[in-house]
Amino acid sequence: MDNNIEKLKQTVIRQVNAESSRLKELALMIHANPEHGLQEYKACEWLTQYLTERGFTVEGGLCDMPTAFRAVYGKGKPVIGLLAEYDALPGLGHACGHNLICTITVGAAVAAKAAVDQCGGSVIVIGTPAEENYGGKIVMARKGTFSDLDAAILVHPDVVDVAVVPAIACQQMNVEFFGKAAHASANPAAGINALDAMILSFNNINALRQHIRSTARIHGIITDGGQAANIVPDHSAGEFYVRATDDAYLDELIQKVLNCFISAGLATGARLEYKPDVLRYASMSSNMTLARLYVDNMKAIGRVVKLEESKIPLNAGSTDMGNVSKATAAIQPVLAIAPKGISLHSPEFAAAAASETGMTGMCDAAKAVAMTIVDLLSSTETMQKVREEFRQTKLQENK
Ligand SMILES: [Zn+2]
Ligand SMILES: [Zn+2]
């Protein structure tokens, strides 16, 4: 390897080590003060304050979200975006480990200043609120927040170390049925049963489920099933998620699921109201060139990271990072902070997000991300390879 690149990588490693106690302090403070999506005021303030102290120019309140921000160091191209999440889960605190996502990001960004100073280009930290309950990045992607980035990186805590994991496309569907209330015993003939329409919808979906691709998912809940057992329910409501590995199949499925609701409405006489939810999670298109750089840099600091998780059997959720990956070359590696068998969104995982293993993982990941920025800013050829792969992937996906 080029001697200068190697020296610069050693510098950024030292820099993360020098910042490590501050980063741990930040991670634990955010962990001890969990805030729900779009309410992450403390985390946002602490992170932006830290970045300001370290010479970043901060702009808050991005895309009409008070807890979204941008912090810039350097000028011009290439522009490397490091994404930060800091929202917690109701009742469970930081059970998804987002307190570590943001500290990995700010730690890597501060360390990568050395690369910007030496090679040019810029590093931008983008604070993206409400991953769990809203999909902040979907809104931001729609407003073009990620379009001028040459690469975007976010590392997510998990129970394994893998650079590329699948995330599938997901559309939320909210439906309501409107019927007619009547006494359920004295005058049922006068009623139109909105709950029956919802139950038939579930049965229709269950029949459909046998004949969809094994990688697709349909699941939902009833959020209103009536008020009293002696009244024919005049209103019912449900919330459903439809997921598929690609957008075209997702569109096809949404239409089929919609037919399940329409036919249930016809059968019962209840009127269907369906508002297509504006938020749609895209599938994750990981940039393999970026992923390989991350794996090699982790290896250089003594941490073994698998390049890719096998896609079969599909064991995947959805993330708003998918929407970022359609706007620029992106990766979302996962980082082991807890033993296998522990589930994300559990009290055990929340404990892991404040553990020594969690803190070690955070520093390792911050180093590997900063070293990856060294690779990108120091070599036009490497940067070009990342851009070209993104262009090719996009062409393939739009075919
Ligand atoms: Zn989560
Ligand atoms: Zn998460």
Side-chain angles (χ1 to χ4, degrees):
M1 192 192 295
D2 187 311
N3 215 6
N4 279 338
I5 296 181
E6 185 49 36
K7 264 195 198 152
L8 202 43
K9 285 190 178 179
Q10 290 307 321
T11 307
V12 299
I13 290 171
R14 276 199 304 277
Q15 202 55 43
V16 172
N17 286 335
E19 295 286 329
S20 67
S21 54
R22 188 70 211 283
L23 294 172
K24 284 178 196 171
E25 194 189 328
L26 266 173
L28 291 174
M29 252 160 60
I30 294 170
H31 189 274
N33 291 275
E35 299 166 298
H36 301 164
L38 299 177
Q39 307 289 321
E40 315 97 319
Y41 295 102
K42 288 179 191 163
C44 183
E45 193 195 319
W46 293 331
L47 293 164
T48 50
Q49 194 186 338
Y50 172 71
L51 288 165
T52 308
E53 282 166 17
R54 298 297 187 272
F56 282 73
T57 306
V58 174
E59 179 196 340
L62 234 56
C63 300
D64 301 320
M65 290 185 282
T67 53
F69 70 88
R70 245 162 84 98
V72 183
Y73 188 85
K75 251 207 322 259
K77 290 255 177 195
V79 185
I80 313 300
L82 300 185
L83 275 50
E85 292 172 8
Y86 27 79
D87 56 326
L89 291 156
L92 284 171
H94 275 288
C96 206
H98 294 185
N99 63 311
L100 297 176
I101 295 181
C102 56
T103 45
I104 290 167
T105 285
V106 296
V110 167
K113 279 164 55 184
V116 173
D117 291 342
Q118 197 166 314
C119 314
S122 42
V123 171
I124 303 187
V125 174
I126 303 174
T128 63
E131 192 277 330
E132 297 284 0
N133 63 338
Y134 182 62
K137 295 184 202 70
I138 303 175
V139 176
M140 298 172 91
R142 206 171 280 156
K143 295 199 173 179
T145 305
F146 312 109
S147 312
D148 59 347
L149 303 180
D150 292 291
I153 306 174
L154 180 155
V155 182
H156 199 299
D158 209 301
V159 297
V160 286
D161 275 296
V162 185
V164 171
V165 287
I168 59 181
C170 176
Q171 168 90 47
Q172 189 175 339
M173 293 176 82
N174 295 333
V175 295
E176 283 179 281
F177 285 106
F178 294 87
K180 194 168 166 231
H183 194 294
S185 173
N187 197 12
I192 296 175
N193 196 320
L195 176 60
D196 277 343
M198 188 59 78
I199 292 168
L200 283 178
S201 303
F202 271 86
N203 290 334
N204 289 343
I205 289 168
N206 285 340
L208 169 66
R209 195 179 276 120
Q210 191 187 344
H211 303 288
I212 64 173
R213 290 181 194 164
S214 62
T215 48
R217 304 281 186 269
I218 309 167
H219 45 99
I221 55 165
I222 298 178
T223 52
D224 180 16
Q227 301 302 316
N230 61 356
I231 306 170
V232 173
D234 66 347
H235 179 256
S236 67
E239 201 177 290
F240 297 80
Y241 285 0
V242 184
R243 308 189 200 228
T245 49
D246 65 78
D247 279 319
Y249 191 56
L250 183 58
D251 284 335
E252 194 181 317
L253 267 187
I254 288 167
Q255 194 49 52
K256 286 182 174 174
V257 173
L258 198 50
N259 287 342
C260 292
F261 298 126
I262 292 169
S263 52
L266 269 179
T268 55
R271 183 172 56 83
L272 169 69
E273 257 191 37
Y274 161 63
K275 293 184 201 83
D277 194 274
V278 286
L279 296 182
R280 174 160 165 160
Y281 290 77
S283 59
M284 181 76 198
S285 309
S286 296
N287 188 284
M288 296 308 289
T289 312
L290 274 181
R292 283 191 192 93
L293 293 173
Y294 175 82
V295 170
D296 289 346
N297 287 318
M298 274 293 208
K299 193 173 166 201
I301 59 165
R303 192 165 178 128
V304 179
V305 177
K306 197 170 154 189
L307 179 64
E308 202 170 357
E309 195 60 274
S310 128
K311 291 201 167 71
I312 310 278
L314 186 76
N315 179 9
S318 309
T319 166
D320 59 6
M321 192 64 187
N323 300 60
V324 178
S325 77
K326 305 300 181 204
T328 186
I331 49 168
Q332 179 172 284
V334 294
L335 174 82
I337 64 156
K340 273 187 187 169
I342 285 186
S343 169
L344 274 77
H345 293 202
S346 72
E348 293 78 17
F349 201 81
S355 69
E356 236 354 272
T357 313
M359 297 304 140
T360 307
M362 170 187 71
C363 290
D364 286 348
K367 286 172 190 170
V369 172
M371 291 160 82
T372 303
I373 298 175
V374 171
D375 287 320
L376 296 173
L377 295 186
S378 64
S379 160
T380 322
E381 207 177 299
T382 306
M383 195 62 253
Q384 204 42 45
K385 212 173 144 194
V386 169
R387 286 195 193 108
E388 182 54 24
E389 187 192 322
F390 175 68
R391 207 179 64 83
Q392 290 295 341
T393 308
K394 220 167 161 114
L395 279 179
Q396 281 293 327
E397 286 178 346
N398 291 340
K399 249 184 195 169

